Each structure stands twice: as C-alpha cells, then as structure tokens.
Amino acid sequence: MHSIILKTATRLMVGLILVFAVYLLLRGHHEPGGGFSAALVAGTGFALLAIAEGPGTVRAAIRLRSTTISLLGLGLAVAASLTALFTGQPLLTGIWWGAEAKPWIGTPILFDVGVFLAVLGAILSVLLALEEF
C-alpha cells in the first residue's frame, strides 16, 4: 500500500505496540496478560508494518526466520516446564532463583517468554506467507 500517512503513522505506532507487548508479557503472571496475549499484540504490530511497508521490512526487522523464533520459544517453554522435574517437584511448578525474600527470576517468566516467542513465530509465519502470496 502506498500511503504516506499510513507509513508515517505505522513508524510511530509499531514501537508503541511492541513496548505495550513487553508490558503485557512482564505483567501477565499474576494479572491479565502473559506470553500469549503479548504475542498477539506484537503480531498486530508486525502485521501493521507488513501492510504499510511490505514483508521485506518485517523480515529485516526480525532478522530471524519465523520458524526459528517458534522453535526457540517452544524449547524455552519446555525447558522451563521440565525444570521442576529435576528438583523432584511436579511438572510446571514454579522454581525461583535469588534470595528467598526477593527472588529475581523464575521459571514462570521463562515459560511466558517461551510462549510469547512460539506464538509470535507462528503469527509471523502465517502473516509473511499471506503477504507474499
């Protein structure tokens, strides 16, 4: 699409949409949001970019193949969910690292990031295939 208004607005909006996706990703463990909804929002931003600039711009922006992003996310989610088994706890039990009073990272955020990457990679695969069809 050759609209200067759409291209200008897209350049402003895509950054804001991606920041909002990161906010949803980090907020989502105890409140609404999380990896799935954050990936849907990020996919919307990339869809807007693909409509305004074309699929080549999206490919240049993500720098990885969409299937690679999905596989990385799936591997991270599986690794985060299996970590509890190695400590003798049930599958998907949250494991936290850091001081007991203030743990700084745990398997739930790693699982959310994995879901985010897996869903975003799937969305990008479909989006780029449709744009190039």
Side-chain angles (χ1 to χ4, degrees):
M1 185 175 287
H2 300 287
S3 168
I4 191 74
I5 296 172
L6 179 63
K7 287 184 178 184
T8 304
T10 298
R11 289 182 185 147
L12 295 173
M13 292 300 296
V14 168
L16 292 174
I17 289 171
L18 294 178
V19 168
F20 183 62
V22 171
Y23 169 74
L24 282 177
L25 173 67
L26 297 177
R27 175 183 186 264
H29 185 62
H30 294 293
E31 297 181 41
F36 189 83
S37 57
L40 293 178
V41 171
T44 303
F46 284 117
L48 184 62
L49 186 62
I51 291 169
E53 302 279 344
T57 304
V58 174
R59 288 190 191 281
I62 60 175
R63 298 183 185 183
L64 290 174
R65 294 181 58 187
S66 54
T67 53
T68 304
I69 294 172
S70 284
L71 289 175
L72 285 173
L74 190 61
L76 184 62
V78 168
S81 63
L82 292 177
T83 302
L85 291 178
F86 295 114
T87 61
Q89 297 178 353
L91 185 70
L92 291 172
T93 301
I95 306 293
W96 297 91
W97 294 283
E100 280 190 36
K102 279 192 153 190
W104 58 276
I105 192 166
T107 55
I109 189 67
L110 296 176
F111 183 79
D112 277 343
V113 170
V115 169
F116 173 80
L117 291 174
V119 172
L120 182 61
I123 289 171
L124 288 173
S125 293
V126 171
L127 174 73
L128 293 174
L130 287 175
E131 283 287 328
E132 292 174 347
F133 180 66

